[in-house]
Amino acid sequence: MKRVLVLLVAGLMFGAGLALAGMTLPQRVLGFLDVAGAWDPALVFVLGGAVITAGVGYYWVFRRDHPILDQRFHLAGEGGVDAALLAGSALFGIGWGISGYCPGPAVALLAVPGNRETVIFLGSLLGGMLLAGLASHWRAMADID
């Protein structure tokens, strides 16, 4: 139960930080991506603050043998860069650039009543995740034969 509460508090802090920085507004993100027009550099400062905070956090946390609320660290594998990673990254970037929505801010925007665009975006995101999972499963099944 402690883990769930910590995750809930961390998620609420993340959402509140995004909202306070204005990063839940798709117009803000699209303004950042509009480097040839009315460029809005605010996202650079938010990302810079996040990188510094994460760097300090990783340094502090990895000095321990294991996390406080778990028996071991769960780190990403060392599979390297492959075609699937590049394709997924490109699709993510294209979707972000077209819509102005990123998954984290979109989930935070669910708290705003009547935001139909967010619901459509998240539905599309979940549909894409389902298709990716099915494709991965089919690939794995094809490798078995």
Side-chain angles (χ1 to χ4, degrees), residues 95-113:
W96 190 35
I98 290 171
S99 68
Y101 285 97
C102 192
V107 170
L109 279 173
L110 284 176
V112 177

PDB file of all heavy atoms in Angstrom, residues 95-113:
ATOM      1  N   GLY A  95       3.279  12.313 -33.875  1.00  0.00           N
ATOM      2  CA  GLY A  95       2.010  12.503 -33.165  1.00  0.00           C
ATOM      3  C   GLY A  95       2.051  13.699 -32.231  1.00  0.00           C
ATOM      4  O   GLY A  95       1.095  14.472 -32.136  1.00  0.00           O
ATOM      5  N   TRP A  96       3.173  13.884 -31.554  1.00  0.00           N
ATOM      6  CA  TRP A  96       3.334  15.019 -30.649  1.00  0.00           C
ATOM      7  C   TRP A  96       3.302  16.319 -31.434  1.00  0.00           C
ATOM      8  O   TRP A  96       2.664  17.292 -31.038  1.00  0.00           O
ATOM      9  CB  TRP A  96       4.645  14.856 -29.892  1.00  0.00           C
ATOM     10  CG  TRP A  96       4.868  15.800 -28.759  1.00  0.00           C
ATOM     11  CD1 TRP A  96       3.934  16.312 -27.900  1.00  0.00           C
ATOM     12  CD2 TRP A  96       6.117  16.341 -28.333  1.00  0.00           C
ATOM     13  NE1 TRP A  96       4.531  17.122 -26.977  1.00  0.00           N
ATOM     14  CE2 TRP A  96       5.876  17.154 -27.221  1.00  0.00           C
ATOM     15  CE3 TRP A  96       7.426  16.199 -28.781  1.00  0.00           C
ATOM     16  CZ2 TRP A  96       6.874  17.834 -26.557  1.00  0.00           C
ATOM     17  CZ3 TRP A  96       8.417  16.877 -28.105  1.00  0.00           C
ATOM     18  CH2 TRP A  96       8.148  17.680 -27.002  1.00  0.00           C
ATOM     19  N   GLY A  97       4.003  16.335 -32.553  1.00  0.00           N
ATOM     20  CA  GLY A  97       4.054  17.548 -33.371  1.00  0.00           C
ATOM     21  C   GLY A  97       2.725  17.898 -34.012  1.00  0.00           C
ATOM     22  O   GLY A  97       2.375  19.068 -34.146  1.00  0.00           O
ATOM     23  N   ILE A  98       1.956  16.900 -34.416  1.00  0.00           N
ATOM     24  CA  ILE A  98       0.654  17.155 -35.041  1.00  0.00           C
ATOM     25  C   ILE A  98      -0.363  17.621 -34.014  1.00  0.00           C
ATOM     26  O   ILE A  98      -1.109  18.573 -34.238  1.00  0.00           O
ATOM     27  CB  ILE A  98       0.143  15.887 -35.762  1.00  0.00           C
ATOM     28  CG1 ILE A  98       0.993  15.611 -37.002  1.00  0.00           C
ATOM     29  CG2 ILE A  98      -1.327  16.030 -36.141  1.00  0.00           C
ATOM     30  CD1 ILE A  98       0.700  14.273 -37.656  1.00  0.00           C
ATOM     31  N   SER A  99      -0.393  16.940 -32.871  1.00  0.00           N
ATOM     32  CA  SER A  99      -1.459  17.202 -31.894  1.00  0.00           C
ATOM     33  C   SER A  99      -1.077  18.210 -30.815  1.00  0.00           C
ATOM     34  O   SER A  99      -1.943  18.882 -30.262  1.00  0.00           O
ATOM     35  CB  SER A  99      -1.874  15.896 -31.216  1.00  0.00           C
ATOM     36  OG  SER A  99      -0.822  15.409 -30.398  1.00  0.00           O
ATOM     37  N   GLY A 100       0.204  18.260 -30.470  1.00  0.00           N
ATOM     38  CA  GLY A 100       0.622  19.091 -29.347  1.00  0.00           C
ATOM     39  C   GLY A 100       0.435  18.385 -28.012  1.00  0.00           C
ATOM     40  O   GLY A 100       0.701  18.952 -26.962  1.00  0.00           O
ATOM     41  N   TYR A 101      -0.018  17.135 -28.048  1.00  0.00           N
ATOM     42  CA  TYR A 101      -0.242  16.368 -26.823  1.00  0.00           C
ATOM     43  C   TYR A 101       0.882  15.369 -26.604  1.00  0.00           C
ATOM     44  O   TYR A 101       1.314  14.690 -27.519  1.00  0.00           O
ATOM     45  CB  TYR A 101      -1.549  15.571 -26.905  1.00  0.00           C
ATOM     46  CG  TYR A 101      -2.790  16.385 -26.741  1.00  0.00           C
ATOM     47  CD1 TYR A 101      -3.498  16.826 -27.846  1.00  0.00           C
ATOM     48  CD2 TYR A 101      -3.278  16.699 -25.478  1.00  0.00           C
ATOM     49  CE1 TYR A 101      -4.655  17.578 -27.703  1.00  0.00           C
ATOM     50  CE2 TYR A 101      -4.428  17.438 -25.326  1.00  0.00           C
ATOM     51  CZ  TYR A 101      -5.111  17.872 -26.438  1.00  0.00           C
ATOM     52  OH  TYR A 101      -6.254  18.605 -26.292  1.00  0.00           O
ATOM     53  N   CYS A 102       1.319  15.273 -25.370  1.00  0.00           N
ATOM     54  CA  CYS A 102       2.252  14.258 -24.917  1.00  0.00           C
ATOM     55  C   CYS A 102       1.460  13.414 -23.907  1.00  0.00           C
ATOM     56  O   CYS A 102       0.549  13.944 -23.263  1.00  0.00           O
ATOM     57  CB  CYS A 102       3.439  14.957 -24.253  1.00  0.00           C
ATOM     58  SG  CYS A 102       4.839  13.896 -23.938  1.00  0.00           S
ATOM     59  N   PRO A 103       1.750  12.120 -23.756  1.00  0.00           N
ATOM     60  CA  PRO A 103       0.911  11.288 -22.884  1.00  0.00           C
ATOM     61  C   PRO A 103       0.738  11.810 -21.454  1.00  0.00           C
ATOM     62  O   PRO A 103      -0.376  11.814 -20.934  1.00  0.00           O
ATOM     63  CB  PRO A 103       1.628   9.938 -22.898  1.00  0.00           C
ATOM     64  CG  PRO A 103       2.313   9.904 -24.225  1.00  0.00           C
ATOM     65  CD  PRO A 103       2.744  11.326 -24.490  1.00  0.00           C
ATOM     66  N   GLY A 104       1.811  12.256 -20.819  1.00  0.00           N
ATOM     67  CA  GLY A 104       1.693  12.740 -19.435  1.00  0.00           C
ATOM     68  C   GLY A 104       0.742  13.921 -19.296  1.00  0.00           C
ATOM     69  O   GLY A 104      -0.212  13.885 -18.509  1.00  0.00           O
ATOM     70  N   PRO A 105       0.968  14.991 -20.053  1.00  0.00           N
ATOM     71  CA  PRO A 105       0.042  16.120 -19.990  1.00  0.00           C
ATOM     72  C   PRO A 105      -1.375  15.748 -20.413  1.00  0.00           C
ATOM     73  O   PRO A 105      -2.344  16.284 -19.875  1.00  0.00           O
ATOM     74  CB  PRO A 105       0.651  17.134 -20.967  1.00  0.00           C
ATOM     75  CG  PRO A 105       2.099  16.810 -20.980  1.00  0.00           C
ATOM     76  CD  PRO A 105       2.174  15.324 -20.817  1.00  0.00           C
ATOM     77  N   ALA A 106      -1.524  14.822 -21.355  1.00  0.00           N
ATOM     78  CA  ALA A 106      -2.866  14.424 -21.787  1.00  0.00           C
ATOM     79  C   ALA A 106      -3.620  13.762 -20.643  1.00  0.00           C
ATOM     80  O   ALA A 106      -4.807  14.028 -20.441  1.00  0.00           O
ATOM     81  CB  ALA A 106      -2.783  13.489 -22.991  1.00  0.00           C
ATOM     82  N   VAL A 107      -2.947  12.925 -19.887  1.00  0.00           N
ATOM     83  CA  VAL A 107      -3.609  12.295 -18.726  1.00  0.00           C
ATOM     84  C   VAL A 107      -3.983  13.366 -17.709  1.00  0.00           C
ATOM     85  O   VAL A 107      -5.078  13.346 -17.146  1.00  0.00           O
ATOM     86  CB  VAL A 107      -2.707  11.203 -18.102  1.00  0.00           C
ATOM     87  CG1 VAL A 107      -3.273  10.724 -16.777  1.00  0.00           C
ATOM     88  CG2 VAL A 107      -2.543  10.035 -19.065  1.00  0.00           C
ATOM     89  N   ALA A 108      -3.097  14.335 -17.492  1.00  0.00           N
ATOM     90  CA  ALA A 108      -3.408  15.426 -16.560  1.00  0.00           C
ATOM     91  C   ALA A 108      -4.619  16.222 -17.044  1.00  0.00           C
ATOM     92  O   ALA A 108      -5.429  16.680 -16.234  1.00  0.00           O
ATOM     93  CB  ALA A 108      -2.197  16.345 -16.403  1.00  0.00           C
ATOM     94  N   LEU A 109      -4.771  16.366 -18.370  1.00  0.00           N
ATOM     95  CA  LEU A 109      -5.892  17.131 -18.922  1.00  0.00           C
ATOM     96  C   LEU A 109      -7.235  16.412 -18.799  1.00  0.00           C
ATOM     97  O   LEU A 109      -8.280  17.010 -19.043  1.00  0.00           O
ATOM     98  CB  LEU A 109      -5.628  17.477 -20.389  1.00  0.00           C
ATOM     99  CG  LEU A 109      -4.726  18.675 -20.612  1.00  0.00           C
ATOM    100  CD1 LEU A 109      -4.399  18.827 -22.091  1.00  0.00           C
ATOM    101  CD2 LEU A 109      -5.370  19.945 -20.091  1.00  0.00           C
ATOM    102  N   LEU A 110      -7.215  15.134 -18.427  1.00  0.00           N
ATOM    103  CA  LEU A 110      -8.484  14.434 -18.199  1.00  0.00           C
ATOM    104  C   LEU A 110      -9.272  15.080 -17.065  1.00  0.00           C
ATOM    105  O   LEU A 110     -10.491  14.923 -16.989  1.00  0.00           O
ATOM    106  CB  LEU A 110      -8.240  12.953 -17.894  1.00  0.00           C
ATOM    107  CG  LEU A 110      -7.886  12.081 -19.091  1.00  0.00           C
ATOM    108  CD1 LEU A 110      -7.576  10.666 -18.627  1.00  0.00           C
ATOM    109  CD2 LEU A 110      -9.004  12.070 -20.122  1.00  0.00           C
ATOM    110  N   ALA A 111      -8.580  15.808 -16.209  1.00  0.00           N
ATOM    111  CA  ALA A 111      -9.255  16.489 -15.096  1.00  0.00           C
ATOM    112  C   ALA A 111     -10.052  17.701 -15.565  1.00  0.00           C
ATOM    113  O   ALA A 111     -10.878  18.227 -14.825  1.00  0.00           O
ATOM    114  CB  ALA A 111      -8.235  16.914 -14.046  1.00  0.00           C
ATOM    115  N   VAL A 112      -9.820  18.152 -16.802  1.00  0.00           N
ATOM    116  CA  VAL A 112     -10.537  19.305 -17.349  1.00  0.00           C
ATOM    117  C   VAL A 112     -11.824  18.807 -18.003  1.00  0.00           C
ATOM    118  O   VAL A 112     -11.769  18.036 -18.967  1.00  0.00           O
ATOM    119  CB  VAL A 112      -9.673  20.057 -18.392  1.00  0.00           C
ATOM    120  CG1 VAL A 112     -10.444  21.207 -19.004  1.00  0.00           C
ATOM    121  CG2 VAL A 112      -8.384  20.538 -17.753  1.00  0.00           C
ATOM    122  N   PRO A 113     -12.976  19.216 -17.492  1.00  0.00           N
ATOM    123  CA  PRO A 113     -14.239  18.727 -18.059  1.00  0.00           C
ATOM    124  C   PRO A 113     -14.440  19.195 -19.504  1.00  0.00           C
ATOM    125  O   PRO A 113     -14.066  20.309 -19.868  1.00  0.00           O
ATOM    126  CB  PRO A 113     -15.311  19.328 -17.153  1.00  0.00           C
ATOM    127  CG  PRO A 113     -14.614  19.989 -16.026  1.00  0.00           C
ATOM    128  CD  PRO A 113     -13.165  20.111 -16.372  1.00  0.00           C
TER     129      PRO A 113
END
